[in-house]
Amino acid sequence: MSRPAMRMLSARLRTLQRSKTLFSPLGNVRSASRYSQPGARPAPSAPAQKSSFEDLPSPASANPALDGLGEVSQDTLAAQREFAAHRARALQRMRFAGIGLLLSVAGLSLTIYNLDLDDIEKAGKKNKIQLDASSDANDKFQGRDVHVIGAGEDKRIIAEGEQETELVQTGSGSVPYFPRRMYLVSSKSTSETSSLVQTLQTEDEYTLVGLGIRTVTFLSIEVYCFGMYVRTQDIAALQSRLIHLINPDASTLVPSEKEQLRQRLLDPAQSIEIWETLLREEGIRSVWRIVPSKNTDFAHLRDGWINGIKRATAEVKSYMKPPAPGLTEYDDESFGAAVKSFRDIFTGGGRAPKGSVILLLREPAGAMEVLFHDPKKSQAFESIGKTQDPRIGRLIWLAYLAGKSVSSESARKAVVDGYVGFAARPLGTVETMVR
């Protein structure tokens, strides 16, 4: 080959090398040729090569991205895979960042929603008081000053007023106290003649058995404090029934029997059987006292009770064997009508502000009445409504006390401890002890 031809060929090769470096993803890699290395040139004695460009890579094969022809080199595939992996990692980081942003916004929204301005204002006022002042002295119970008498096991918390009220600490910052005993008016009608009906009003005393805090979501947001009360004059009958569940011939329970009763009352299956039996027996009045920890409404509380009824119904069906094959008492149309009647009690909504009191009063025959009291507006309870079907009250009690899932495990354990304490004393002594 002549020298002019080789000079032209070298210029052509330099042009191809620049094109390949410009368009290839591996532009820093320089392709070698037999003309770029003088030592690799054939000896003068070798036969002359054909003066053609058949052995040179075509522009299409040098850069397949330009026209899509030819085979993709291994280096190009590796670059594409590396780019895809980098893109996947970037997308994954973006997803994690998005999830973190959403959780942060949700947490901030929940915090703002549950922020109690009353507590903040109260805390600000407390900071202005002397540092050595007792926090108990600054609290109030339904507008009355609270005083602590004594310390340790002999400590008593008293709310001042026309009649002093002994209090129990709840462990909640929003609702710090519950009364140890409360009094509810009961009306009794007596007729001396066919034309004269006389109504007598008396006050029944109720004794606190146990209390707890109802929380929701994984953040344990406090909804309300609630506790169970039993009419004091019915404690002896309740005490007898609890003792006879374990030992029919005993008048009190020994320590091993007390532990057996506690385990049965906390067992998912046995607790439903025990409370089903106790709640079906008439003659005992009991009350759930519910105090919202923040401003809410009756619709929200109603939905919680309806969900509790559904949950308790499912657990009763799964653990209890019906007396006869076929539908249970919770499957007929009358039960659906009873649930609707209970729901209709709260039709129209209504506010339940923080510190107000809702009572679920279960009568001896099983009927349940809903009472409401706002200490800021009145001094007496008003009746919201009443359901005569005993299944409604029984299922609400079961939702709080029995089964695998209850509204508040701390409240259930506190109530169980209270009932075990009743059964640990000789018959007839608990009523005189609490008076």
Side-chain angles (χ1 to χ4, degrees):
M1 181 181 296
S2 63
R3 287 183 177 275
M6 292 191 64
R7 290 193 190 97
M8 294 176 61
L9 183 59
S10 297
R12 175 62 175 168
L13 286 173
R14 285 196 296 271
T15 302
L16 291 175
Q17 290 289 352
R18 283 196 297 271
S19 300
K20 185 174 181 180
T21 303
L22 180 62
F23 295 103
S24 174
L26 301 175
N28 295 330
V29 181
R30 181 180 177 184
S31 300
S33 71
R34 56 177 179 164
Y35 299 104
S36 61
Q37 300 179 3
R41 297 180 182 179
S45 59
Q49 301 294 327
K50 294 187 295 181
S51 57
S52 67
F53 299 101
E54 294 178 354
D55 296 334
L56 297 177
S58 65
S61 61
N63 191 355
L66 295 176
D67 53 7
L69 300 177
E71 295 184 357
V72 180
S73 66
Q74 295 296 327
D75 293 339
T76 304
L77 288 175
Q80 291 177 351
R81 289 169 183 164
E82 183 180 357
F83 174 75
H86 178 74
R87 183 174 181 272
R89 289 194 297 270
L91 290 175
Q92 188 178 22
R93 288 196 295 268
M94 291 173 62
R95 293 190 190 99
F96 285 150
I99 293 174
L101 179 62
L102 290 177
L103 291 177
S104 300
V105 172
L108 181 62
S109 301
L110 287 174
T111 303
I112 295 175
Y113 177 76
N114 291 280
L115 189 64
D116 199 322
L117 299 179
D118 294 337
D119 286 346
I120 296 177
E121 184 179 358
K122 182 188 293 185
K125 291 180 179 179
K126 284 185 178 181
N127 291 333
K128 298 178 182 179
I129 302 175
Q130 295 180 356
L131 295 179
D132 59 349
S134 171
S135 60
D136 292 331
N138 300 325
D139 289 330
K140 290 183 179 295
F141 174 74
Q142 295 183 351
R144 294 184 287 170
D145 292 332
V146 175
H147 296 284
V148 180
I149 302 174
E153 295 182 356
D154 298 329
K155 174 182 175 180
R156 296 181 63 209
I157 306 174
I158 302 297
E160 291 184 347
E162 297 180 0
Q163 183 178 0
E164 290 186 347
T165 303
E166 186 176 358
L167 304 177
V168 176
Q169 290 180 318
T170 64
S172 168
S174 302
V175 186
Y177 304 113
F178 259 38
R180 187 177 297 275
R181 285 178 291 274
M182 64 179 183
Y183 300 87
L184 298 177
V185 176
S186 63
S187 300
K188 298 180 180 179
S189 298
T190 59
S191 59
E192 297 179 356
T193 64
S194 58
S195 59
L196 177 62
V197 177
Q198 185 179 8
T199 301
L200 301 178
Q201 287 189 343
T202 60
E203 280 191 342
D204 289 334
E205 181 187 79
Y206 288 79
T207 300
L208 179 65
V209 180
L211 56 85
I213 301 173
R214 165 70 169 159
T215 59
V216 295
T217 76
F218 67 95
L219 298 175
S220 297
I221 298 174
E222 187 176 318
V223 180
Y224 56 75
C225 291
F226 66 116
M228 185 180 187
Y229 292 75
V230 175
R231 189 170 61 170
T232 305
Q233 67 186 69
D234 296 334
I235 291 180
L238 176 62
Q239 182 186 14
S240 175
R241 295 176 186 178
L242 291 170
I243 293 173
H244 293 161
L245 283 172
I246 304 300
N247 190 342
D249 300 325
S251 60
T252 186
L253 296 182
V254 298
S256 60
E257 293 173 334
K258 285 170 50 182
E259 188 60 29
Q260 182 182 354
L261 176 61
R262 178 180 284 105
Q263 291 179 358
R264 290 184 62 183
L265 288 173
L266 293 176
D267 182 78
Q270 296 186 42
S271 62
I272 290 180
E273 182 180 355
I274 291 176
W275 288 113
E276 269 272 330
T277 302
L278 292 176
L279 294 171
R280 287 180 183 274
E281 297 178 357
E282 298 183 359
I284 295 179
R285 286 177 177 261
S286 56
V287 178
W288 284 105
R289 185 178 190 269
I290 301 168
V291 181
S293 302
K294 61 177 183 177
N295 296 331
T296 184
D297 51 47
F298 289 121
H300 180 72
L301 296 171
R302 175 203 62 198
D303 293 341
W305 291 323
I306 293 295
N307 290 334
I309 290 174
K310 294 178 180 178
R311 184 176 66 250
T313 303
E315 292 196 344
V316 168
K317 290 180 180 180
S318 62
Y319 288 115
M320 295 291 292
K321 295 181 179 179
L327 298 179
T328 66
E329 63 177 327
Y330 302 108
D331 293 317
D332 57 15
E333 295 182 359
S334 62
F335 176 66
V339 174
K340 183 179 182 303
S341 175
F342 174 70
R343 188 191 297 270
D344 292 341
I345 291 176
F346 306 96
T347 301
R351 302 293 299 172
K354 173 185 172 182
S356 59
V357 182
I358 301 100
L359 298 182
L360 303 180
L361 172 61
R362 192 168 185 272
E363 299 180 351
M368 188 188 72
E369 186 175 10
V370 182
L371 304 174
F372 177 72
H373 173 219
D374 187 354
K376 296 180 181 180
K377 294 183 178 180
S378 65
Q379 296 299 321
F381 282 92
E382 59 176 326
S383 177
I384 297 177
K386 188 174 183 178
T387 174
Q388 297 292 339
D389 196 310
R391 292 173 290 187
I392 300 299
R394 186 163 66 241
L395 288 172
I396 291 179
W397 262 238
L398 289 174
Y400 282 136
L401 298 173
K404 184 177 180 180
S405 301
V406 293
S407 299
S408 171
E409 189 63 34
S410 62
R412 170 164 66 172
K413 290 181 178 179
V415 172
V416 167
D417 289 341
Y419 277 115
V420 172
F422 289 164
R425 295 182 174 274
L427 286 174
T429 62
V430 178
E431 182 179 353
T432 58
M433 176 191 68
V434 300
R435 287 187 180 277

